[in-house]
Structures are given as C-alpha cells and as structure tokens.
Amino acid sequence: MIRLSRMADYGVVVMTHMAWRRHENQTAHQVAAGTGLPEATAGKLLKVFARSGILTSHRGAHGGYELTRTPEDISVAEIVEAVEGPIALTLCVDEHPGHCGVEALCPMRGGWNRINAALREAFEGLSLAAMAFPAPPEFAGPGGRPAVGL
Amino acid sequence: MIRLSRMADYGVVVMTHMAWRRHENQTAHQVAAGTGLPEATAGKLLKVFARSGILTSHRGAHGGYELTRTPEDISVAEIVEAVEGPIALTLCVDEHPGHCGVEALCPMRGGWNRINAALREAFEGLSLAAMAFPAPPEFAGPGGRPAVGL
DNA sequence: CAAAACAGAACCGATTTGGTTCTATTTTGC
DNA sequence: GCAAAATAGAACCAAATCGGTTCTGTTTTG
Ligand code: FES
Ligand code: FES
C-alpha cells in the first residue's frame, strides 16, 4: 500500500478538531486532550500548521491556535503538504531533474505526471469542511452512518 | 512527499523492459542487464509479477518470463498493486475496519475514500503501453523529447 | 545427471519515521 | 519586574520499514 504517513493523517485529525472548535482559541494541551493524541505530537503538528499559515498562533500565557480561514477554504491538500511536503508520488515531477536512478529508461516517465496530477487534484478538491462535517445521516447507507470501518 | 516505494518504481521499469522485448523470452539475467538493476532485485520483481499473473514464467534451462497480455491491456495499477498491495493511502478504506487509531474522530474519514478512489482510477487508467511507448517527439516540448528531468 | 533457470523464504544493514525532550522566546497577570 | 503559561524550534532517540542479498529448493532441458 502507498501509505500516507501517520503524521499527515494525524494532521488532518488535528485540523478537524480545530474546525470543530473554530473561533475558540485552542492550546496544544486542549487539542491533545480533544483528539487523544500525545501532547508533544499534537504540539508539533500545530507548530507546523502555524508556520504554513493555515493556523495563527498566539504565544505567551493564554496563547493558542486558531484557524486563519474557514474550513471550507482550507483544502486537505494544504494540510497534507504542510506535513509531508509537495504532493507527488515520484521524484521525476515538475522538471525536478537529477534523480533518475535508471536513466536509460527515463523517457517513459512522463506517465507519472498524470498520476501525480490526479492525486494532487483529489487532495485539492477536498476541503477541511468536507472532512470535519461529513454528509448528514440521511445520505448514508443502512445503519444511519456513512460507511467508515469500525 | 507521499512516496511510491522504489520497488514499485523499479517494477514499472522492469515491466517496461518486458514490453519492449515483448514475445522474446527474457531471463532475469537479461532483464537485469537491460534495465541496469541488480540481478537479484530484478529477479525478485519478476517473481512477484509472475505470481500476480501479468507475466508467465518458464522454469528450467532456457526458462524466462514473458508478458501474458499486450502492454495496452496491462495497467500500471496492476504493476504497482503486485508490488505494493492494494492502492490506497489509508487503512480506513472499503469497509476494512478495526484500524481506527483515534476512533473518537472516525466518522470524518469518509473523505479519504474519495482520494483513494481518485488515485486508484489514475493508476488504472494508465496502461503499460502508455508508459513504455510515450507520445512521439512531435508532441514534446523544445528539445524533441517529452520533458522528463535529466 | 548436470547445468540453467525460476520459486520462495530468510536475513541483514541502512534509512525513515514517530515521537520525545530540551532550550529559547513571548505574553500575561500579579 | 517576575513568575507562570504558552508557543518556536531544533536536537535527539528508538523502533519500524525498506531495499537488497543470500540461501535452499524445484523444475526443465539436453
Ligand atoms: S528523471 Fe525521473 S526517471 Fe528520469
Ligand atoms: S476506521 Fe479509519 S479512522 Fe476510523
């Protein structure tokens, strides 16, 4: 399986929490408590998001974090990129040369770009709001809940 | 970056070689020589592909491998899946329950399926032929070759 | 029966990853 | 002004993963 790193996954969890508590200043401690993540880890992610600009941070006593934009205006792409770097499966993307291990075969690689593009588009087309506030139960399958394992 | 494992990448390289030498029985040794991959590694990949059914193997002296289908009929998805397992970024896919680390937040995960689907479709829509026989030079940028770093 | 080739598992070193810890720095309130 | 509460940022470590090799079969050919 092509694994999305656990950190990126947790990143979405953290941002989901922030979307739920929108406009409430959240400390790292609160986020950790709310998500069940270890405090140091949650803190690390929050710092990353603050640096990337999707969260604003206030330091000092009574500090904390807050969303800079509405959940509708934050894409999952931004979240994942903040923790994982650019969204792409292979190095040979976007004229990023010099990484070709098997250069004799290089010309074929154009095909990867198509896949990278598709992936990036999928991430960009999914908003934090869509993650944090999923479709209401009436659209779900039998059982009343969207089908999500466990 | 969401990295596609190097093995999967090499897998495509190996299959590309097989597409080029279609209908010629290729030994692991020949494939290794043709691709520049270490022999043991090429062998390992060939075995995997044989088991997955996209290559047929003949053992014994004068043995080797051959494509079972035409390059047009083999998708990159099949190649990658053979090496990496199912194409998906997260565990919470396709009713595959029991992996939820942060269950309190589970309902939101439906969104991942959209991304997983997009990724899988991209892989399925790309044939080995498209990888092995890229668009001819007249469609490429200046320089006469499709733009692929290095 | 010997050589050539694949089948499959086991194994090992190196890299990556997840996660913690430590030292600033900033802000607030007494 | 000082202590407490909080983030900023880097350094660090253990564990899991990955890339790659090796070894022991098995099958086929001549
Ligand atoms: S640059 Fe990526 S394969 Fe050549
Ligand atoms: S099953 Fe994947 S998050 Fe709950």
Side-chain angles (χ1 to χ4, degrees), chain A residues 91-93 96-103 105-107 109, chain B residues 148-150:
Chain A
L91 276 315
C92 14
V93 184
H96 200 276
H99 298 285
C100 193
V102 206
E103 305 187 16
L105 299 173
C106 190
R109 299 318 182 81
Chain B
V148 284
L150 240 213

Side-chain angles (χ1 to χ4, degrees), chain A residues 1-2 89 112 115, chain B residues 4-5 7-9 11-12 15 48-49 54 75-87 123:
Chain A
M1 194 169 98
I2 303 162
L89 289 176
W112 288 125
I115 290 183
Chain B
L4 187 68
S5 82
M7 276 295 143
D9 192 1
V12 176
M15 287 301 290
V48 168
F49 293 139
I54 58 184
S75 70
V76 176
E78 291 179 274
I79 301 174
V80 171
E81 272 176 350
V83 197
E84 297 245 327
I87 293 175
F123 272 110

Side-chain angles (χ1 to χ4, degrees), chain A residues 1-2 4 9 13 16 20 35 84 86 88-89 97 102-103 105-106 108-110 112 115 123 131 147-150, chain B residues 1-2 4 9 13 16 20 35 84 86 88-89 95 97 102-103 105-106 108-110 112 115 123 131 148-150:
Chain A
M1 194 169 98
I2 303 162
L4 187 68
D9 192 359
V13 171
T16 298
W20 286 349
T35 58
E84 296 244 327
L89 289 176
V102 206
E103 305 187 16
L105 299 173
C106 190
M108 91 179 142
R109 299 318 182 81
W112 288 125
I115 290 183
F123 271 109
M131 284 299 235
V148 284
L150 239 214
Chain B
M1 194 171 100
I2 304 160
L4 187 68
D9 192 1
V13 172
T16 298
W20 285 348
T35 58
E84 297 245 327
L89 289 177
E95 323 291 337
V102 206
E103 303 188 17
L105 298 173
C106 190
M108 90 181 144
R109 300 318 183 80
W112 288 126
I115 291 183
F123 272 110
M131 282 300 234
V148 284
L150 240 213

Side-chain angles (χ1 to χ4, degrees), chain A residues 4-62:
Chain A
L4 187 68
S5 82
R6 199 176 308 181
M7 275 297 142
D9 192 359
Y10 289 169
V12 176
V13 171
V14 164
M15 288 301 290
T16 298
H17 173 93
M18 295 304 289
W20 286 349
R21 306 301 173 85
R22 176 162 31 143
H23 301 137
E24 295 173 30
N25 196 288
Q26 292 285 304
T27 70
H29 178 75
Q30 288 173 305
V31 172
T35 58
L37 294 171
E39 189 154 341
T41 304
K44 187 155 147 178
L45 285 167
L46 288 165
K47 287 172 200 175
V48 169
F49 293 139
R51 207 172 331 162
S52 87
I54 58 184
L55 292 182
T56 53
S57 66
H58 308 287
R59 39 203 293 185
H62 297 63

Side-chain angles (χ1 to χ4, degrees), chain A residues 2-4 76-77 80-81 84-90 112-126, chain B residues 1-4 87-89 112 114-123:
Chain A
I2 303 162
R3 232 174 74 272
L4 187 68
V76 175
V80 171
E81 272 175 351
E84 296 244 327
I87 293 175
L89 289 176
T90 55
W112 288 125
N113 292 334
R114 241 190 283 181
I115 290 183
N116 283 320
L119 182 60
R120 201 157 37 232
E121 274 162 35
F123 271 109
E124 279 163 6
L126 188 62
Chain B
M1 194 171 100
I2 304 160
R3 232 174 73 272
L4 187 68
I87 293 175
L89 289 177
W112 288 126
R114 240 189 282 180
I115 291 183
N116 283 320
L119 181 60
R120 200 156 39 233
E121 274 163 33
F123 272 110

